[in-house]
Amino acid sequence: MSQCMEGEFVAWATVRQGAWLRSALLLTGDQASAEDLVQDALLKVAERWSRLRDEAPDAYARRIIYNGAMSRFRRHSREPAHAVVPEVIATATTDDWLSGADIRAALQRLTTKQRAVLVLRYYEDLSERQIAEALGVTAGTVKSQAHAGLRRLREELALEQDSLDGEEIR
Amino acid sequence: MNDDIRELLARGASDAVDTDLVSGTWQRAERHRRNRNLGIVSLAAAGLALTFALTQTGGSGDEALLPADRTARQTAPATQEPNTPALPEEWRWESFGGVQVGIPGDWDWGGPSQRIHQWCLNDEGDRSQPIVGRAGISTAVGCDVDGGASPPRDSLVENTGEVVMFSWSPQPDVRPTEVGDRTTVQVNGVAVTVQARQPLRDQIVSTIHLVTTDANGCTTTHPVTSDSSWRPSGPAVAQLSEVSSISVCRYQFSGAWPRTGGEVAGGILSSLRLEGQDARQAIETIASAYVGGGPNNPDQCAPDFAYGDEAIVLRVTSAAGTSEVVARYSGCDHHGFDDGHEVRTLTREAMAPLIEGPNQPDQASSEVGDIVFPDPGDE
């Protein structure tokens, strides 16, 4: 029975680890912290696999990752870590020159909640209701954080603002 | 719309280096489960051993007390204030923020926030082991989405097991409130949540009282709570001789916010007491650590969070009288054992006896994570 459950868990986790690692990289800004977050989530899911296997292990793991990212941030700083962010990001109307590192650095200038909402909405493509459940906040909070986060991210990346309000969060 | 944002985030995520995070996870989880079950078994065994020994010795039985028996050690308090209620046999005292509560001696320590707020994740092993603890972090699974049952399902022992939780609370003192299997007592800026079957619940509630020095000899306030850089002024730890006891007092700094989401006055979080050989060994281990402090990583946090939100103060009784050593492990800088003369490096061996049971921190920075939270598999 235990070997059967282990096989199920390994199969489930193997399929998902890459996607979660990429989300975690956006949340934390660095590979090592992202790996820590995902490993911690996998461990917690494994510890409770007998109960979670028939329910919602994906939702549980996602909550661990996003709450872990927010706890980690609270732990280490009351303000975003600016040290890794360039002092000035050149203005541009095209984003062609932006590297992955530039984008992650700009994300780190957002609040943790704004960052989490944007990653869930525009990277994981979750709905407003799903984001609210994942973060344990209200739909209104999701909407306001997404709005503020988008505005801030566009400012940080010196992108055009014209599409900012053009899309309703589902 | 906002496809440019989608594309940018995908670009930001694409640098992740795929690595195997799954191998060994199941085995680590099994070790954690086994370790937890062993803890339950050993506590039960210790309780049985104590009961048996007291029976055999006619009930006085100091000679029957095992060194590892935490219950037995704490039934003889280091200090007892005049207003202290009677403690039932084989119970122990736990304190938080100047509020002291009697707890059955076979209860374990754990994370009550997770146990109560995430009740739908508790398994039979969780529910069968009563715990006492301090409010802290928990996961955020929506356990209450089942329609708002009355009484709330997280207030029922059948879902949570028996739990006592301490938390900071800005609310004024009020009469105890009851819902489901839960009684909440609000006193002195502290909320004590007692979730247990009757008559045990009333028995625990009846022991709640205020103290200025708890049963382990820890004052409920300390200068370090208002000045996280505070340093002792007594003798150097390496000079201490004839050490007879240590009150190991864990304090939260004032203004610390992670546990509450708001400002708190600071004060005692938890305590334990080491006596005799355990105390001598603890001081010798600290004194043998390298001078210099650390491990630190000051680049990892804002300067105003360099000390973190809590510290442990050791009140050492020795030939020199009572002196203090501060153990800092909570922020990203200034880590180490500080006797006011030198700062010695934190080591797992030196920290281990200080963070047992009630004193287990629920968070630590990554620099000291392996010291404060050793993987059971590494033991």
Side-chain angles (χ1 to χ4, degrees):
Chain A
M1 180 63 180
S2 176
Q3 281 187 337
C4 174
M5 286 206 294
E6 179 182 355
E8 287 175 1
F9 168 78
V10 170
W12 170 85
T14 301
V15 169
R16 288 157 178 82
Q17 61 172 335
W20 283 336
L21 188 59
R22 286 186 278 281
S23 295
L25 181 61
L26 290 174
L27 293 171
T28 63
D30 74 272
Q31 173 86 14
S33 299
E35 289 181 11
D36 285 349
L37 270 185
V38 176
Q39 266 185 326
D40 186 47
L42 291 177
L43 182 63
K44 287 186 165 69
V45 172
E47 286 177 336
R48 300 186 178 280
W49 185 250
S50 63
R51 291 178 59 80
L52 290 171
R53 59 200 283 232
D54 297 325
E55 297 175 11
D58 290 73
Y60 181 72
R62 182 179 287 113
R63 283 168 183 135
I64 298 286
I65 290 170
Y66 280 81
N67 281 283
M70 289 196 273
S71 298
R72 181 179 295 257
F73 174 81
R74 284 198 300 268
R75 186 69 191 168
H76 288 302
S77 172
R78 296 187 188 197
E79 295 295 334
H82 289 187
V84 296
V85 182
E87 285 293 320
V88 176
I89 295 178
T91 55
T93 55
T94 172
D95 59 29
D96 289 346
W97 58 277
L98 291 169
S99 69
D102 291 331
I103 295 159
R104 291 192 299 278
L107 277 171
Q108 298 306 306
R109 284 190 182 271
L110 275 57
T111 69
T112 50
K113 201 165 279 181
Q114 289 170 354
R115 187 160 60 244
V117 167
L118 292 193
V119 173
L120 284 167
R121 177 67 190 93
Y122 297 107
Y123 183 70
E124 297 209 18
D125 215 23
L126 297 194
S127 70
E128 178 188 304
R129 183 182 58 79
Q130 289 171 319
I131 295 170
E133 286 177 4
L135 300 181
V137 299
T138 65
T141 298
V142 172
K143 204 181 287 286
S144 64
Q145 294 292 318
H147 184 86
L150 270 179
R151 181 181 294 278
R152 181 80 184 270
L153 185 61
R154 288 187 177 282
E155 287 171 358
E156 295 295 340
L157 294 173
L159 300 178
E160 297 292 343
Q161 295 279 349
D162 55 7
S163 62
L164 179 65
D165 297 320
E167 181 179 11
E168 282 297 313
I169 303 285
R170 284 177 298 181
Chain B
M1 294 292 188
N2 286 322
D3 286 343
D4 55 341
I5 295 296
R6 288 189 173 85
E7 184 192 329
L8 287 171
L9 293 185
R11 194 186 305 170
S14 65
D15 294 339
V17 179
D18 281 332
T19 182
D20 177 15
L21 301 174
V22 179
S23 295
T25 300
W26 186 263
Q27 288 69 29
R28 285 183 65 201
E30 285 205 320
R31 281 202 302 270
H32 286 194
R33 282 193 293 263
R34 196 162 51 238
N35 187 269
R36 184 173 61 187
N37 292 338
L38 280 174
I40 293 169
V41 170
S42 63
L43 274 171
L48 283 173
L50 177 65
T51 305
F52 176 75
L54 288 174
T55 305
Q56 296 302 301
T57 58
S60 62
D62 282 349
E63 66 280 18
L65 304 185
L66 305 174
D69 190 320
R70 292 164 288 188
T71 301
R73 279 201 304 216
Q74 294 187 9
T75 51
T79 61
Q80 183 157 315
E81 298 189 349
N83 63 342
T84 304
L87 188 68
E89 214 172 312
E90 297 184 21
W91 285 34
R92 65 174 188 264
W93 291 114
E94 296 264 342
S95 84
F96 177 99
V99 178
Q100 188 159 266
V101 182
I103 301 293
D106 60 351
W107 282 35
D108 206 349
W109 294 276
S113 296
Q114 181 77 10
R115 181 74 77 86
I116 293 175
H117 302 310
Q118 302 289 268
W119 59 268
C120 60
L121 296 177
N122 295 326
D123 57 26
E124 189 51 41
D126 295 326
R127 288 190 292 269
S128 65
Q129 179 56 47
I131 59 167
V132 56
R134 283 74 189 159
I137 55 176
S138 65
T139 56
V141 172
C143 289
D144 286 320
V145 295
D146 60 348
S150 181
R153 292 168 70 175
D154 68 359
S155 70
L156 299 177
V157 168
E158 67 183 45
N159 293 323
T160 66
E162 292 178 309
V163 182
V164 168
M165 175 169 74
F166 294 100
S167 55
W168 301 111
S169 172
Q171 307 301 319
D173 293 0
V174 294
R175 295 174 62 83
T177 57
E178 295 194 359
V179 59
D181 296 324
R182 175 188 304 165
T183 299
T184 303
V185 176
Q186 182 88 36
V187 58
N188 202 41
V190 171
V192 184
T193 302
V194 182
Q195 197 145 308
R197 294 188 177 87
Q198 294 290 24
L200 177 61
R201 178 156 43 112
D202 284 348
Q203 202 174 3
I204 293 172
V205 169
S206 71
T207 68
I208 297 174
H209 64 286
L210 297 178
V211 291
T212 53
T213 300
D214 74 12
N216 290 317
C218 292
T219 54
T220 57
T221 60
H222 188 277
V224 78
T225 63
S226 54
D227 175 9
S228 54
S229 64
W230 180 88
R231 303 191 71 185
S233 58
V237 69
Q239 306 302 317
L240 297 177
S241 63
E242 299 176 41
V243 172
S244 57
S245 68
I246 309 173
S247 294
V248 185
C249 317
R250 187 164 69 107
Y251 292 102
Q252 181 156 36
F253 302 148
S254 60
W257 44 274
R259 290 166 191 277
T260 61
E263 296 290 314
V264 297
I268 190 92
L269 283 170
S270 60
S271 64
L272 58 83
R273 188 169 173 87
L274 301 174
E275 308 258 12
Q277 179 58 28
D278 290 342
R280 285 188 288 279
Q281 182 68 46
I283 292 300
E284 286 169 10
T285 307
I286 293 170
S288 65
Y290 288 115
V291 172
N296 298 317
N297 193 351
D299 294 336
Q300 285 297 304
C301 64
D304 64 348
F305 201 64
Y307 286 91
D309 58 11
E310 65 178 56
I312 287 175
V313 176
L314 311 181
R315 290 173 54 83
V316 185
T317 303
S318 69
T322 300
S323 55
E324 295 184 322
V325 178
V326 180
R328 293 192 172 88
Y329 50 86
S330 174
C332 65
D333 201 4
H334 311 292
H335 292 149
F337 296 101
D338 183 2
D339 60 13
H341 300 265
E342 294 166 323
V343 181
R344 294 175 183 275
T345 304
L346 284 184
T347 65
R348 184 188 297 191
E349 188 183 15
M351 280 297 285
L354 314 180
I355 55 175
E356 283 187 348
N359 276 9
Q360 172 70 69
D362 60 12
Q363 299 182 62
S365 60
S366 56
E367 296 77 44
V368 298
D370 290 342
I371 297 169
V372 179
F373 302 117
D375 186 331
D378 296 339
E379 296 298 325

